[in-house]
Amino acid sequence: MSIIISSCLLGCDCKYNGGNNANKQVIEFAKGKDVISICPEQMGDLSTPRPPAEIVDGIVMNVEGENVDAAFKKGVNSAMELIQNKKIDFAILQSRSPSCGVNQIYDGTFSGTLIKGQGLFTKALTSQGIKVIDVEDFK
């Protein structure tokens, strides 16, 4: 069984603010399994920490108004290359992220408002038929 897990859920300090989203349930579940830890944002050469980013009219922008879409897409492409030719059973990804959001993402106004939507990495995985689970739905 090969599982993709957002690196931040495993305790990697790769979030935009330099922290992580360590999830004890996910970490315990991962023990003894073939886990592929991925942070598409770091794989896109974005710094940690970095300004928060959201999808604005289909383009990833940071709070400072900088277009960071190319870096986000580079990270997704690198992540997809990493898993190419591997049988992935499913992925557990961090909620709300412009990369890994599964059910919801921020609306692009940097106001904390959530909308229905998916991050770029989630879209890439689902387009390949890989089941993606939002960590908030993981039990």
Side-chain angles (χ1 to χ4, degrees), residues 29-61:
F29 175 79
K31 289 181 180 172
K33 295 179 178 67
D34 179 21
V35 172
I36 303 167
S37 174
I38 292 179
C39 177
E41 295 170 24
Q42 285 195 327
M43 293 178 83
D45 297 327
L46 290 160
S47 64
T48 303
R50 58 190 166 274
E54 296 184 6
I55 300 173
V56 180
D57 296 325
I59 304 293
V60 186
M61 304 288 291

Side-chain angles (χ1 to χ4, degrees), residues 23-86:
N23 183 295
K24 290 178 186 176
Q25 275 187 294
V26 171
I27 292 168
E28 190 61 33
F29 175 79
K31 289 181 180 172
K33 295 179 178 67
D34 179 21
V35 172
I36 303 167
S37 174
I38 292 179
C39 177
E41 295 170 24
Q42 285 195 327
M43 293 178 83
D45 297 327
L46 290 160
S47 64
T48 303
R50 58 190 166 274
E54 296 184 6
I55 300 173
V56 180
D57 296 325
I59 304 293
V60 186
M61 304 288 291
N62 71 22
V63 71
E64 297 169 351
E66 180 184 6
N67 181 333
V68 290
D69 198 66
F72 272 75
K73 287 179 178 171
K74 176 184 177 185
V76 169
N77 290 337
S78 294
M80 296 305 289
E81 285 176 18
L82 178 70
I83 64 167
Q84 188 177 1
N85 301 319
K86 295 186 185 208

